[in-house]
Amino acid sequence: MRSILLLPLLFTAACSSTPKETKPAAPALPTTLQEALNSPYRTESNKARDTYRHPVETLEFFGLKPEMTVVEISPGAGWYAEILAPYLSAKGKYVAAAVPVSVYGGGQKFLDWLQARPEIAAKVTVNDFAPPGKIAEDNSADLVLTFRNVHNWMTHGSEKAAFMSFFNALKPGGVLGVVEHRADARKKEDGKSKSGYVSEKQVIRMAEAAGFKLAAKSEINANPKDTKNYPKGVWTLPPSFAEGDKDRAKYEAIGESDRMTLKFVKP
């Protein structure tokens, strides 16, 4: 804890009448998803990606309600956290199951965002998570969400442990929502997902092996322009632009990756 040293203040009579500077009031907490989408709690750079990520449609598909306990897996820099944490603050609970900053430095941006908003931070739980490990207490969550993380677990061989953690944390009847870069179903599956793309069949097998049942699929986050054959895998596309300015206009025209959106239920 940082201590603050208060020094004696010498004021002239004129200065004594100077009005005190007041701290701006915190923005109102959103009560609907549309309000959360347009909330001042979101950064402009993240709002710019709504056209690719379709957050309202995606969260409605997964069945998000304001009174739920929701665990987001590896929120990274906090793109979805900027929507979920304020929205759930009034009636629900937002849990960030975050990869420790010591492992993945990008998580620091999310923690800094949270620290700057004490009215939100007081209602958020942050749990370190790197599979195998627990994301939350058993049978405590209504909804577990993971956005574009499955390929990372596959690379490290921890996908089975990850899906078991999700299953254990959810209440019976709870939902697991998965968004992931979708591989070409006609091509041979890559067990390590070196390109960042994963087939729908692979994700469904992982979830079902952990005990989940597939409830529904959606094409909300589909992108037919994505050819999925780039020099540096999915990271060639925006927002990463792994090749820098090389063919940047071409990749901007394609947009972000083609993504599966899958809803699973714990029986």
Side-chain angles (χ1 to χ4, degrees):
M1 180 184 297
R2 183 178 64 178
S3 60
I4 302 175
L5 178 63
L6 300 178
L7 300 175
L9 300 178
L10 301 177
F11 290 101
T12 63
C15 291
S16 64
S17 61
T18 303
K20 294 182 179 179
E21 185 178 346
T22 57
K23 186 177 180 181
L29 293 174
T31 57
T32 67
L33 267 179
Q34 195 58 51
E35 286 181 4
L37 195 71
N38 301 320
S39 167
Y41 285 110
R42 299 190 70 205
T43 55
E44 292 304 316
S45 60
N46 281 345
K47 288 181 181 180
R49 296 180 63 198
D50 288 351
T51 186
Y52 299 116
R53 304 196 69 176
H54 314 100
V56 170
E57 298 90 337
T58 299
L59 293 172
E60 286 179 343
F61 173 71
F62 291 144
L64 176 69
K65 302 295 181 187
E67 67 276 5
M68 284 182 165
T69 294
V70 179
V71 183
E72 183 185 0
I73 310 300
S74 299
W79 198 93
Y80 261 102
E82 289 183 1
I83 299 171
L84 291 166
Y87 176 71
L88 293 166
S89 287
K91 299 179 181 179
K93 183 178 182 181
Y94 173 73
V95 180
V99 175
V101 173
S102 60
V103 177
Y104 175 58
Q108 188 61 52
K109 186 175 181 180
F110 162 63
L111 295 177
D112 290 343
W113 177 88
L114 202 58
Q115 187 176 24
R117 294 158 179 82
E119 70 280 8
I120 299 294
K123 300 176 182 180
V124 169
T125 299
V126 179
N127 295 331
D128 280 351
F129 172 65
K134 296 181 68 168
I135 62 169
E137 293 302 315
D138 290 353
N139 303 304
S140 65
D142 299 292
L143 178 61
V144 172
L145 299 171
T146 173
F147 301 99
R148 305 180 354 267
N149 292 309
V150 177
H151 60 279
N152 292 321
W153 302 319
M154 291 173 67
T155 299
H156 296 97
S158 58
E159 66 274 15
K160 291 181 181 179
F163 277 86
M164 281 306 306
S165 295
F166 311 155
F167 189 86
N168 292 336
L170 281 165
K171 302 172 183 176
V175 169
L176 168 65
V178 180
V179 177
E180 180 56 272
H181 309 296
R182 178 164 50 192
D184 188 336
R186 298 167 298 180
K187 293 186 178 180
K188 183 179 178 180
E189 292 180 349
D190 178 4
K192 292 294 184 182
S193 186
K194 295 176 183 177
S195 67
Y197 289 98
V198 185
S199 76
E200 278 194 10
K201 287 184 178 180
Q202 284 175 299
V203 175
I204 292 170
R205 284 201 302 269
M206 294 173 203
E208 289 181 342
F212 288 103
K213 301 295 182 184
L214 179 64
K217 299 180 182 181
S218 174
E219 292 299 302
I220 296 167
N221 296 299
N223 180 3
K225 295 180 181 179
D226 181 5
T227 59
K228 311 174 185 185
N229 57 344
Y230 311 111
K232 296 186 178 179
V234 72
W235 303 280
T236 308
L237 295 176
S240 298
F241 289 110
E243 293 230 288
D245 289 333
K246 182 179 179 182
D247 293 326
R248 190 180 183 95
K250 169 187 172 182
Y251 299 132
E252 283 180 336
I254 293 171
E256 297 193 16
S257 67
D258 175 50
R259 293 162 188 168
M260 68 184 86
T261 306
L262 305 177
K263 180 179 180 180
F264 299 94
V265 174
K266 176 178 177 177

